[in-house]
Structure formats: C-alpha cells, structure tokens
Amino acid sequence: MTSMGLSRELIALRVARELRDGMVVNLGIGIPTLVSDFIPAGVTVIFQAENGILGYGATTADENEIDWDLINAGGQPVTLLAGASFFHSADSFCMIRGSHIDLTALGALQVSEKGDLANWMVPARRMGSIGGAMDLAVGAKRVIVAMEHITKTGEPRIVKTCSYPLTAVGAVDLIVTNLAAIQVTPAGLVLKELAYGVSPEYVQSLTEPVLIPAPDLREMDL
Amino acid sequence: MTSMGLSRELIALRVARELRDGMVVNLGIGIPTLVSDFIPAGVTVIFQAENGILGYGATTADENEIDWDLINAGGQPVTLLAGASFFHSADSFCMIRGSHIDLTALGALQVSEKGDLANWMVPARRMGSIGGAMDLAVGAKRVIVAMEHITKTGEPRIVKTCSYPLTAVGAVDLIVTNLAAIQVTPAGLVLKELAYGVSPEYVQSLTEPVLIPAPDLREMDL
Amino acid sequence: MNKVYATTAEAIADVDDGAVIMFGGFGSAGSPTNLILALAEKGTKDITAISNNIGLGDKLDTLCQNKQIRKFIGSFPIRATSQRPDLLYQAYLAGEVEIEVVPQGTMAERIRVGGAGIGGFYTPTGIGTSVAEGKEERVIDGVRHLLEFPLKADFAFIKAYKADTMGNLVYRMSTRNFNPIMATAARITIVDVEEIVEPGDLDPEAIATPGIYVDRIVKGPKHDLHGFE
Amino acid sequence: MNKVYATTAEAIADVDDGAVIMFGGFGSAGSPTNLILALAEKGTKDITAISNNIGLGDKLDTLCQNKQIRKFIGSFPIRATSQRPDLLYQAYLAGEVEIEVVPQGTMAERIRVGGAGIGGFYTPTGIGTSVAEGKEERVIDGVRHLLEFPLKADFAFIKAYKADTMGNLVYRMSTRNFNPIMATAARITIVDVEEIVEPGDLDPEAIATPGIYVDRIVKGPKHDLHGFE
C-alpha cells in the first residue's frame, strides 16, 4: 500500500513548493533532507543547520570537496555558499526557539488531528533520540511534516490522538504524504490536494480522523 | 579629615597587592581604575571590561594610539595586549555572573558590617546608574571595595546598615580605605592593617560598627 | 530581498510614534549615531528607548532635547559626572519621562532571551536591592534568585563596522557590546555601517551577527565621538 | 600559568571515578577524540557523560565498550540507524546505564546558563511531552513554558582548531557546536587542538572561546572520522 502515490522525492518536491524567496529553512532528517534538491527556480532560501551553520549549500559526495569539519545536522558533508556563517549550539537554538526560522520540514511517526507531532521514539524501543526536533517544532514559524501516509504494516500515521511519545503539541501546519497534502486548521484536518490517481475516499480510508475536503480540493501540482 | 592617610593612588596600590599571577580582574570606575597602574612585578593579570574586552592593556592618552572603538568600561581609550578577545555584552556577563572573574575592585558610597555594598545612588538624587556593579558584586569570586573612609562631610562610610540603596547583599570581602584595610568576616569587620600614622582608635572613631582588631594587626605594607 | 537602503531617512521611515526602540552601543563605541540623528530629524514621539546609556558619549540625548522619549530603560540612565547637561535626568525630575534602571548583565540577558524564545530566567543579581521590588524570588541550590523577563522591541538601531549585502555583520573591538543581541530581539533591525561588502567577503568564523537578524543596512559616516564625553 | 600539556594522559591525569564530563562535538565534527581515547586508556569508571551524541561518528562508544559510563545525558543517545552496534542502547536495555534524553536546544541552553551563573530558565520546548515530566510549568505571555536548570561538569573535554598558549580558541566551521559553551560550564576545561600558536596570532574578533575558560591544552592528531558513520 505504501507504494501508492508519490515517491519520497516527489513528497520532497511538493514540500519544496512551500518555499518562498528569502526564507530561512531547517530540514530534518529523512525525506525533508531531499527538499533542498527541489528548490523552485528564482527562489533563494537560506538553510540553517542546528549544529551551527547558516547558509550551507548542497550536500557533496565529491572526494575533492568533502571536508568533514563541515557537516549538516544529518551528518552529511555539505558545501558552503557565500555569506555563510558559523555559531555555537546555544546561539543556533536562539535562532530556532526564537522564531527566526521561517519554515522547518520534519519527518514523523504520527501526526494528530490537532497537529500534535510524534517523531522521536518508537515506544517498543523504550528510548529514542530527540535531537533538535522538539525545539524546531515549537520554534519555527511554520512546521511541515513530510512522511509516508501509513506505516509499513498499514496503520494510519494521521491519527485522532498520537499513541507514540509526543515531540510537540499542536505544532504541525501542513502534512505532505505520498497520498495527499493536508492542512491542520482549528476546525480539523483539511484535505487540500491529492496525489495523481488517488481518491478522497481512499485517503480517508487510510486516515483515522475525519478529513474535511477543501472547497478547492485538487490534484497535487508537481 | 579625608586628607589623612593614603592618597587615592596609595589606596589603589594597596588593592593591587591583592593581585595574583593569572587572575582575571575587573576594575570599577573611580579609585579602582588606578589599580592597573600598580600591578606587582612578576604578576600578570588579565583585565576584563564588561563592555566586551578581555586582555586590554594600559589606558592611553597618546593621540597616535587612541582608537575610540577600543574603550574600557570607564569610557577611556585603552591599548590591546596579545591574546585579547572581544565579545558581546551577554557573553561578557556570562563571565561576570558565572564566577569567571577572580577579583573585582569597586568604589562605594557605603559598606555595612555584613559586607552589604551601596554604590549606585545617592538617595537625594532620586535616580542613579547601576551599570555592571550589581552583577560584578554578585558574580566575582572576590570583591574589594576601594574608597575614602568617610564622606566629604565627615560621615562614616562603613556603617552598621547601609542607608543608601544597596548594590548587593553580603558581597564585600575586603575594604581598603585611606585609613585601613578591613576584612569582612562572619564574625564581623576585622581591622587588618592601618595606614602609616593612623591609630586603631582613630579608625574606630570614624567607623560606625565595632572593628575587631586582627591578632596580626599591622601597618600597611606599601 | 535587497537590504541596503540609500538614506537613513528611508531606513527609518516607518518608525512611528510610540515605537519601542533598542539602541546599541556602550558610550560612544558602537552607537548608531547616523540612525539616532535621523530619528531626531524625523521627530518620532513617545519613544521607549532601550539603551545601556544616554548622553554618555552617544547622541541619544538629542532625542531628550526634542522631547521624543517617553520612557528609558538602561543601566546608565544618569551620568555620574556632567560635562554636558544631563537632559534625561532633568526630564525625569520634571516628571516628563519614566526611567527603568536595570543592572547591565540583567539587561544584556533580558535582551538575549528576548531574541531566543526563552520566557524568563533566574539571576542572583539584584537580590536585596530596589531592583528586586515587585519581582518573584526563588532559592535555587541555596542561592536567592530573581525572576527576570525578556526585553523585545519593535526596532533595533545598531552599529556595525562592515555589513555584506545579506546583512552579515562584523564589529570592531569594543563596539560589539549590545549590538549583536539587540539585532536578535527586535521585529526590525536597522544597521548603521561604515562599509558594505559582498557576500563572501567577511570571514564566516568572525561574523558576529548572522544576516538573518538584519533587515535594513545604511552606510554612513563615522562620527568623531570620544568615549563618555 | 602554562596551559600546554605534552600528553593527553597528563592532561586528564586527575579525571577520577565518578567524574561528570562534558564532551563537545556533533557527530564526528568537533569531537575531542584524542581525549576520549586517553580516557578509555585511563579507565576512569562511573562517568556521567554529557554529550550531544554517542557513537554517532564520535568515539564515545569506546567508553561504553569499557563499561566506563554510568549515566549519559544528551539529545542523541540512540542512533536511528546502526552501522556500528549501539553499545549505549544495549547497556541501557541491560540496565547498566541511565539515560537522560534532552532536547538539543534545551541542552545547549542548560550548558550555557551553567557557565553564566543563571539559576534556571523557562522554555516552551518539551511542553506536553515526556520531557516535561516532573518539571514545573509556567504560562508566560499566554505560552506554556517548562522550568529547566543548569548543567555543569567537573571537566569539559573539547576540541578546537587552534589554541594560543593563553587558551584562546578558534574552531573550524561546524566543529564549533557545543565546544564553546561547554568550556564555560566545567570546573576544568581540557582542549584537544590541531595547532598551538602564540598569543596575538589569532584574530581577536574570531576567538570563539576566550582563554580564561581554558585550563589545559594538548595538541593531537586529527582523526579521519566521517560525520555520523
């Protein structure tokens, strides 16, 4: 079932459509990392990495270019753009907690109909890693979740109430999955866009809470 | 009466005797500023200025040397020593509040027998300037007050209870005046040293709380 | 997203009556003199000014002279010695302005947390003094602390040595002081700079204010001001 | 006051059983590998280790292998993917170590205030999560905040690019991370550096750790570690 709809790359592409010129953006690990490959033409964004970089460029696999003193928050070697700067971790989270990041894209295990986010621990493992996710979810002006619509065993990830440990309460603004784009609103989850060939009924069948079809519900424009 | 005993320079000299090699030192405005002119031979101290300098050197009046981008916390142009660094005001007070300053010398209007310090406001003026004094008094490992023993009108400055608005409670470790060096201890004020030609009785007559003569009470060694 | 403005007047055009403005600087060092003079010219009234000092080597007392300030928050509101008339003090005695005197370290931290999304902090500074009046106390590890809250502003007027066109800033020596933290704590940050360079021209390790904190940049002359004079 | 030590063994000679140690670094970048390997060699037991991560590009899991760690405080105690065996996780499941998982920004700020003499602070991070358990909550300006307390240590093991003999430090790119704040929050700070220079050789505007925070400096080889591998 998870093979229906968009690939991971297309999910990232759809998230990238939310980028606006001049935005300061922090990308989480997983699908969000791919977002930087799909920046719309004419849009310049500034990427922040919570390990203390502002203005890094593409990841690199070029042996001549790799410098292991310059890695993003996912541990990948990156390049540097003109105008970049470095700072320590406390200053980095001043940026994040202080709402100086315009947009963050994060992976998720579950998202609730209230926009609660669970992304740091599978309960069965009894321990997990929070990293910067809690600060990003609370501090960024806009939080987009990029994830597969259901788990590998077919369970909905969009739920009434998260059963996994929470990362943040009411933090998520937009959910982009392989099947749909869903906006979190005070009235509930609004189904805004559908992946090509996917029906509203199908998305609803794989989503625990009731989805409100948007008046302008349409196919995802990719 | 205030002309008895030590000059301002000799008070500063006596304070300078407290400096030890490697100490990080912040000097307040007034007599304390003069301390930097009397650093004992063989002793290297690092001066911190709360406006964001570590490792500045002597003040300068040399037109060719003056750079008004480099002033100490008293507004005087200073020189820079090798190994100096600059930082912003919040980082500066991390140093101060965080007990990374070994010694501060501050001026005072009044000091109480408990070591309470009053140095920022004359009540009659209804308003005053605190500057960095409250943070220094609370944060420095050792606080030395350098002041005239009595006011211009002959009132004791060392009092049972400060009548002037406080800078900090129980902060002062050592008081150096034109007449004596007095240590603040849990048992009370201990008279440790006398300026040349000054008797214990005379100092007591100009001091409100009872002074405890030190077993090794002696003339100030300058 | 061009941040470079041609004139100080344009850079402060929307600084309206009642604005809360932070001013960088310690004495004359790092004071945004060109922006202060433009604000005096513009005549914005009822300003809440947040600055370490006023009329202490800086030109902020020009705003007093014009009766533009309603409230002053700082660590040196009053000068100990008066080479110039102490205009804020006179206005205070006349009941024309409000003054909040703040320990310098508490002020710096309040500004920093204002930019950092922190709701408040506990400091031992000010315990047992008039600064503690009306504030909550809490004993932590046997030490009495005061609860202090963030300082934020509508505008930060700051001074830097060099800016690149993205707003990255470097300072010179003791001119850094309050400037970098104020840049983080205001809705709009406007910088008075001596020189504007291209992105990549500044050492990324020495950038003390990353460009995302800076909204507007104006190049202006450096004034011959002398410490606390 | 000579701060330069000839060997890592001498620099950590007094790191005794039960020590609370902060380790700088994020992944392999800025990890004090030479000091970590010396600590493994020395065999100090019952360590409380404070580090962003463990075994995530760094060599800290060597201390797990030797069963030297009693408690780990960090934001990435567990790896999501396991190219190496996840030794801390195994020890945790076996009940041999305690883990305190902390949001990265809260951890950074707790360390910073640990060095800054601040008693505690309020952060919105962690509200409504397991991180909030047992912590005080307070609503400030309509937003729920958690009260968090300082982190301090007996020792900070940090990594810098260059040190001068007075202990002033500069870092390279993303190796800065937790190193400068940890340097302020420990009783004794020990630095693993690539190069030692004379005072005056470093740009005073780019010194990210002023020398007064540094107690011991050891020059060591740079290890070929790769991000999170």
Side-chain angles (χ1 to χ4, degrees):
Chain A
M1 274 192 281
T2 51
S3 63
M4 268 211 64
L6 309 182
S7 64
R8 289 163 57 88
E9 284 70 22
L10 286 178
I11 296 173
L13 169 59
R14 176 59 192 84
V15 171
R17 290 267 189 277
E18 301 294 315
L19 303 178
R20 299 289 172 270
D21 199 41
M23 272 188 173
V24 183
V25 176
N26 183 299
L27 301 177
I29 299 175
I31 297 174
T33 306
L34 305 173
V35 170
S36 61
D37 295 336
F38 301 102
I39 303 169
V43 169
T44 303
V45 298
I46 298 173
F47 287 112
Q48 198 257 15
E50 62 263 33
N51 54 328
I53 319 174
L54 194 69
Y56 67 89
T59 58
T60 178
D62 178 346
E63 281 301 325
N64 297 315
E65 211 171 44
I66 288 176
D67 184 329
W68 288 106
D69 284 350
L70 182 61
I71 58 174
N72 65 18
Q76 301 165 300
V78 291
T79 55
L80 209 60
L81 302 180
S85 58
F86 302 110
F87 34 86
H88 62 56
S89 298
D91 282 347
S92 182
F93 282 89
C94 289
M95 276 181 201
I96 291 170
R97 205 192 303 100
S99 293
H100 306 286
I101 306 294
D102 296 306
L103 187 152
T104 189
L106 298 170
L109 297 166
Q110 293 181 328
V111 180
S112 83
E113 61 181 333
K114 304 282 190 201
D116 296 349
L117 171 66
N119 82 347
W120 73 276
M121 183 167 129
V122 177
R125 293 204 77 199
R126 291 176 43 205
M127 184 46 72
S129 286
I130 296 171
M134 285 193 185
D135 298 281
L136 281 162
V138 164
K141 288 183 193 159
R142 194 142 182 261
V143 177
I144 300 179
V145 158
M147 65 176 186
E148 301 290 335
H149 205 89
I150 54 175
T151 67
K152 283 175 186 162
T153 55
E155 307 293 322
R157 288 179 189 270
I158 303 174
V159 294
K160 285 184 178 169
T161 306
C162 295
S163 58
Y164 284 17
L166 290 187
T167 302
V169 175
V172 178
D173 297 294
L174 181 70
I175 308 165
V176 179
T177 75
N178 52 317
L179 302 182
I182 296 167
Q183 197 175 344
V184 183
T185 77
L189 298 177
V190 175
L191 182 61
K192 300 282 285 184
E193 301 170 24
L194 294 161
Y196 174 79
V198 172
S199 71
E201 295 71 25
Y202 182 69
V203 174
Q204 181 64 73
S205 73
L206 299 175
T207 306
E208 197 181 274
V210 174
L211 297 175
I212 305 163
D216 60 342
L217 173 61
R218 61 181 193 278
E219 188 186 309
M220 230 180 248
D221 180 25
L222 294 169
Chain B
M1 274 192 281
T2 51
S3 62
M4 268 211 63
L6 309 182
S7 64
R8 289 162 57 87
E9 284 70 22
L10 286 178
I11 297 174
L13 170 59
R14 175 60 191 85
V15 172
R17 290 269 189 271
E18 301 294 316
L19 302 178
R20 300 288 172 270
D21 199 40
M23 272 189 174
V24 183
V25 176
N26 183 300
L27 300 177
I29 300 175
I31 297 174
T33 306
L34 305 173
V35 170
S36 61
D37 294 336
F38 300 103
I39 303 169
V43 169
T44 302
V45 298
I46 298 174
F47 287 113
Q48 198 255 15
E50 62 263 35
N51 54 328
I53 319 172
L54 195 69
Y56 67 89
T59 57
T60 177
D62 179 345
E63 281 300 324
N64 298 315
E65 211 171 44
I66 288 176
D67 183 330
W68 289 105
D69 284 350
L70 182 60
I71 58 174
N72 65 16
Q76 301 164 303
V78 291
T79 55
L80 208 61
L81 302 180
S85 58
F86 302 109
F87 33 85
H88 62 57
S89 299
D91 282 347
S92 182
F93 282 90
C94 289
M95 277 181 201
I96 291 170
R97 205 193 303 98
S99 292
H100 306 286
I101 306 295
D102 296 306
L103 187 152
T104 189
L106 297 171
L109 297 166
Q110 293 181 329
V111 181
S112 83
E113 61 181 332
K114 303 281 190 204
D116 296 348
L117 171 66
N119 81 346
W120 72 276
M121 183 167 126
V122 176
R125 292 204 77 200
R126 290 178 44 204
M127 184 46 72
S129 287
I130 296 170
M134 285 193 184
D135 298 282
L136 281 162
V138 164
K141 287 182 194 160
R142 193 141 183 260
V143 177
I144 300 180
V145 159
M147 65 176 187
E148 301 289 338
H149 206 89
I150 53 174
T151 67
K152 283 176 188 162
T153 54
E155 308 294 320
R157 287 179 189 272
I158 303 174
V159 293
K160 287 185 178 168
T161 305
C162 295
S163 57
Y164 284 16
L166 290 187
T167 302
V169 175
V172 178
D173 296 294
L174 181 70
I175 307 165
V176 179
T177 75
N178 51 317
L179 303 182
I182 296 168
Q183 198 174 345
V184 183
T185 77
L189 297 178
V190 176
L191 182 60
K192 300 281 285 182
E193 299 170 26
L194 294 161
Y196 172 79
V198 172
S199 70
E201 295 72 23
Y202 182 69
V203 174
Q204 181 64 74
S205 73
L206 298 175
T207 307
E208 195 181 276
V210 173
L211 298 174
I212 305 163
D216 60 343
L217 173 62
R218 61 183 194 276
E219 188 186 309
M220 230 180 249
D221 180 26
L222 294 169
Chain C
M1 48 157 183
N2 183 29
K3 296 180 175 180
V4 179
Y5 282 61
T7 66
T8 50
E10 289 168 75
I12 68 157
D14 57 351
V15 180
D16 295 328
D17 292 358
V20 177
I21 312 175
M22 290 177 174
F23 298 90
F26 186 107
S28 62
S31 182
T33 307
N34 293 303
L35 296 174
I36 293 168
L37 296 178
L39 190 63
E41 178 74 23
K42 180 174 163 64
T44 302
K45 300 285 184 203
D46 291 326
I47 292 167
T48 296
I50 302 171
S51 170
N52 182 61
N53 44 267
I54 180 164
L56 190 74
D58 60 81
K59 290 288 186 200
L60 271 177
D61 51 350
T62 317
L63 304 179
C64 283
Q65 201 154 23
N66 297 352
K67 300 192 182 300
Q68 293 176 260
I69 295 180
R70 189 182 62 72
K71 181 173 180 180
F72 181 83
I73 302 172
S75 93
F76 278 99
I78 309 298
R79 292 202 300 276
T81 58
S82 292
Q83 291 163 310
R84 306 187 221 165
D86 206 338
L87 298 173
L88 184 80
Y89 183 49
Q90 290 169 11
Y92 175 75
L93 292 179
E96 292 165 10
V97 297
E98 199 184 327
I99 294 179
E100 182 180 342
V101 57
V102 184
Q104 196 174 141
T106 298
M107 179 170 158
E109 191 67 13
R110 288 178 65 193
I111 294 167
R112 180 187 167 277
V113 302
I118 290 170
F121 64 94
Y122 289 98
T123 177
T125 302
I127 280 289
T129 77
S130 59
V131 162
E133 280 167 23
K135 289 179 186 161
E136 270 186 48
E137 238 188 82
R138 183 186 186 105
V139 175
I140 301 171
D141 272 346
V143 178
R144 292 166 67 192
H145 289 76
L146 289 183
L147 175 57
E148 295 280 359
F149 291 106
L151 274 176
K152 298 181 196 181
D154 299 315
F155 297 91
F157 284 16
I158 68 168
K159 165 74 169 65
Y161 176 40
K162 292 182 185 180
D164 71 21
T165 54
M166 291 173 73
N168 291 300
L169 306 179
V170 295
Y171 303 89
R172 262 195 93 225
M173 306 195 282
S174 65
T175 68
R176 192 181 304 199
N177 56 67
F178 283 88
N179 288 300
I181 49 177
M182 286 180 171
T184 71
R187 198 168 45 78
I188 306 271
T189 293
I190 310 172
V191 195
D192 180 351
V193 289
E194 295 175 37
E195 199 179 331
I196 300 175
V197 300
E198 289 304 310
D201 287 350
L202 302 175
D203 175 5
E205 304 288 357
I207 289 171
T209 294
I212 63 167
Y213 291 121
V214 171
D215 300 285
R216 304 171 191 170
I217 306 163
V218 201
K219 184 176 164 176
K222 185 166 185 174
H223 294 259
D224 187 30
L225 300 176
H226 293 177
F228 286 178
E229 282 168 27
Chain D
M1 45 158 186
N2 183 28
K3 297 180 175 182
V4 179
Y5 282 62
T7 67
T8 50
E10 290 167 76
I12 68 158
D14 57 352
V15 180
D16 295 327
D17 292 356
V20 178
I21 311 176
M22 289 178 177
F23 298 90
F26 186 107
S28 62
S31 183
T33 307
N34 293 304
L35 296 174
I36 293 168
L37 296 178
L39 189 63
E41 178 75 24
K42 179 174 166 62
T44 303
K45 300 284 185 207
D46 292 326
I47 292 167
T48 295
I50 302 172
S51 170
N52 183 61
N53 44 265
I54 179 163
L56 190 73
D58 61 82
K59 291 287 185 203
L60 272 176
D61 50 350
T62 316
L63 304 179
C64 284
Q65 201 154 23
N66 297 353
K67 299 192 185 300
Q68 293 176 261
I69 295 180
R70 189 182 61 73
K71 181 174 180 179
F72 181 83
I73 302 172
S75 93
F76 278 99
I78 309 298
R79 292 201 300 275
T81 58
S82 293
Q83 291 165 309
R84 308 187 219 166
D86 205 336
L87 297 174
L88 184 79
Y89 183 50
Q90 289 169 12
Y92 175 74
L93 293 179
E96 292 165 10
V97 297
E98 197 183 329
I99 294 178
E100 181 181 342
V101 57
V102 184
Q104 197 175 138
T106 298
M107 178 168 158
E109 191 67 13
R110 287 178 66 193
I111 294 166
R112 182 187 166 279
V113 303
I118 289 170
F121 64 95
Y122 289 98
T123 177
T125 302
I127 281 288
T129 77
S130 59
V131 162
E133 280 165 24
K135 289 179 187 162
E136 270 185 46
E137 235 187 86
R138 182 185 186 107
V139 175
I140 301 171
D141 272 346
V143 178
R144 291 166 67 193
H145 289 76
L146 289 182
L147 175 57
E148 296 280 359
F149 292 105
L151 274 175
K152 298 181 197 183
D154 299 315
F155 297 91
F157 284 16
I158 67 169
K159 164 75 169 64
Y161 175 40
K162 291 184 185 178
D164 70 22
T165 54
M166 291 174 73
N168 291 301
L169 305 180
V170 295
Y171 303 89
R172 263 196 92 226
M173 305 194 283
S174 64
T175 67
R176 192 181 303 198
N177 56 68
F178 283 88
N179 288 300
I181 49 178
M182 287 178 170
T184 71
R187 199 169 43 81
I188 306 271
T189 293
I190 311 173
V191 195
D192 179 351
V193 289
E194 295 175 37
E195 200 178 331
I196 299 175
V197 300
E198 289 304 309
D201 287 351
L202 302 175
D203 175 5
E205 304 287 358
I207 289 171
T209 294
I212 62 167
Y213 291 122
V214 171
D215 299 285
R216 303 170 192 171
I217 306 163
V218 201
K219 184 177 164 175
K222 185 166 183 171
H223 294 259
D224 187 31
L225 301 175
H226 294 176
F228 286 178
E229 281 168 29

